[in-house]
Amino acid sequence: MVGGGQLARMTHEAGIPLGIRFKLLSDTPQDSAAQVVGDVVVGDYRDLDTLRAFARGCDVITFDHEHVPTEHLRALEADGIPVRPGPDALLYAQDKGEMRAKLSGLGVPCPRHRIVADAADVVAFAAEGSCDGDGFPVILKTVRGGYDGKGVWFVRSAAEAADPFKAGVPVLAEEKVDFVRELAANVVRSPHGQAVAYPVVESQQVDGVCDTVIAPAPELDEALAGEAQELALRIAQELGVVGHLAVELFETRDGRILVNELAMRPHNSGHWTMDGAITSQFANHVRAVLDLPLGDPRPRAPWTVMCNVLGGDYPDMYSAYLHCMARDPQLKIHMYGKDVKPGRKVGHVNTYGDDLDDVLDRARHAAGYLKGTITE
């Protein structure tokens, strides 16, 4: 696996029962997965020679992020190394402009969008979608490299439209969607075309970062949930995805769904599956990239809630275990071995049960206590 973050850490854990020999290319020995994987190569994934040396002897290469240069992935395939997902698919998670163009060509519902050249072009884009006024606000995104709110701007006026262009990289403009909530449809697809779909979840964001995931999404119309699952499965097939695909969605006020983002790797909106599904997203990702039969994605309980644990001013989270575990013996805590920094994802908690209000309260209390914002 290329990338040593928490997704690699949890994917490695899922492969242990299968006897998988897991090799890791990590930026540093201190990265989350590098702390627990036995076979670690420290190196720069952007260097082709490093990638080639790492890939020797591997049966298959997969990723915990989408940032490996596309041309490097093609070089690995030319060397005879299976890359899953392959560069032809991964491109659409790496490049938002390519993703929007491809999905639109497939008839997939997306927000109004186009690549913009400068601030004046942003003003023109905003006006194109307006029947009254100047059309602001709009969303601007760097075409490559953005995540967790980074590389994304909420632009309210022409005066704010210049900042995204200062980095000198292509910028995608999108309409500001009037949505009720954000959803995510997670699916997994194998090389021979077997695919499974997890229940559609509600993803709640705070300051552009995922805070809470509720599985399944409460009060979601059954037909719309089925439409979201079918859409994600169709996207996986059309793009040739192998492994896990997360399709982030907007549920609009008029009862439609629009595709917001794609991620071709295990995803934060699927962390609930570690304790709430018969087969987790990590276990199914491992099975898919090795072309093994996929596992059952059905939930184990009526409700599962995942809350991210973000770093705050309280660095010693482990001393909080005594309270959290005693208060809720069913609580599942997953920490990533990261240094605690304000706002940084350092872990997550999962709770499950029959009563949604109770499950939500337990998860939010534990995440808040671990962060230090709740003290009793």
Side-chain angles (χ1 to χ4, degrees):
M1 195 166 211
V2 176
Q6 64 262 25
L7 300 180
R9 182 185 180 109
M10 291 181 276
T11 304
H12 167 250
E13 179 184 357
I16 291 173
L18 300 178
I20 304 302
R21 293 180 60 189
F22 196 90
K23 186 178 180 181
L24 184 74
L25 179 61
S26 181
D27 289 342
T28 76
Q30 290 77 41
D31 286 348
S32 179
Q35 299 172 23
V36 297
V37 174
D39 189 355
V40 179
V41 174
V42 175
D44 187 349
Y45 63 85
R46 294 164 294 191
D47 180 74
L48 180 55
D49 290 338
T50 298
L51 272 175
R52 278 182 157 144
F54 169 74
R56 291 192 193 106
C58 291
D59 295 299
V60 62
I61 299 292
T62 191
F63 314 94
D64 95 330
H65 60 71
E66 293 107 342
H67 305 315
V68 180
T70 307
E71 61 271 19
H72 290 4
L73 302 181
R74 297 196 191 283
L76 291 183
E77 285 196 328
D79 292 343
I81 303 295
V83 176
R84 294 172 178 163
D88 290 337
L90 199 60
L91 170 66
Y92 301 111
Q94 294 174 322
D95 190 305
K96 294 180 177 64
E98 295 284 354
M99 179 264 288
R100 285 288 182 233
K102 181 68 172 180
L103 294 184
S104 297
L106 293 172
V108 171
C110 296
R112 187 176 66 86
H113 62 275
R114 69 174 169 86
I115 300 294
V116 286
D118 51 29
D121 205 9
V122 175
V123 174
F125 170 82
E128 289 164 9
S130 175
C131 298
D132 182 27
D134 59 11
F136 286 98
V138 298
I139 308 299
L140 299 183
K141 301 177 179 180
T142 54
V143 167
R144 286 179 176 256
Y147 67 96
D148 282 350
K150 299 177 178 66
V152 179
W153 292 264
F154 183 84
V155 176
R156 299 173 180 82
S157 67
E160 297 180 358
D163 282 350
F165 297 93
K166 293 178 180 177
V169 297
V171 173
L172 176 72
E174 295 183 347
E175 67 174 315
K176 172 67 173 68
V177 176
D178 183 23
F179 62 89
V180 177
R181 56 179 168 176
E182 294 185 58
L183 305 172
N186 290 279
V187 299
V188 183
R189 182 175 179 272
S190 70
H192 68 272
Q194 184 189 11
V196 297
Y198 289 94
V200 177
V201 300
E202 178 177 336
S203 178
Q204 300 177 355
Q205 315 291 314
V206 176
D207 296 328
V209 178
C210 179
D211 178 81
T212 302
V213 171
I214 305 172
E219 299 180 1
L220 179 62
D221 179 78
E222 186 175 340
L224 196 62
E227 180 183 336
Q229 289 176 311
E230 290 175 4
L231 181 63
L233 289 167
R234 181 163 77 87
I235 291 171
Q237 180 179 8
E238 294 280 5
L239 302 188
V241 176
V242 172
H244 184 272
L245 171 68
V247 180
E248 297 180 69
L249 301 159
F250 295 125
E251 181 184 1
T252 66
R253 297 190 184 280
D254 56 358
R256 297 178 297 133
I257 51 174
L258 300 176
V259 173
N260 180 24
E261 301 277 2
L262 301 180
M264 294 181 195
R265 49 173 170 75
H267 190 257
N268 206 163
S269 65
H271 288 357
W272 69 273
T273 64
M274 295 177 73
D275 304 296
I278 294 171
T279 311
S280 76
Q281 65 165 345
F282 299 101
N284 262 335
H285 184 76
V286 169
R287 291 186 185 204
V289 299
L290 294 174
D291 206 9
L292 297 170
L294 300 181
D296 192 333
R298 288 179 299 171
R300 294 179 181 272
W303 300 104
T304 302
V305 171
M306 187 283 309
C307 282
N308 277 316
V309 178
L310 302 182
D313 297 324
Y314 181 53
D316 184 18
M317 292 187 173
Y318 295 98
S319 63
Y321 281 6
L322 183 64
H323 168 85
C324 290
M325 292 177 175
R327 183 179 188 271
D328 186 357
Q330 294 186 60
L331 176 71
K332 304 298 183 183
I333 300 175
H334 301 274
M335 301 299 282
Y336 305 152
K338 293 182 175 181
D339 292 335
V340 176
K341 298 178 182 178
R344 186 186 198 186
K345 287 183 189 176
V346 294
H348 70 270
V349 297
N350 285 334
T351 57
Y352 50 86
D354 298 331
D355 182 87
L356 177 56
D357 289 338
D358 174 68
V359 175
L360 267 169
D361 176 75
R362 289 160 48 209
R364 287 172 172 162
H365 181 278
Y369 198 93
L370 288 166
K371 181 179 179 181
T373 55
I374 295 174
T375 57
E376 59 183 40

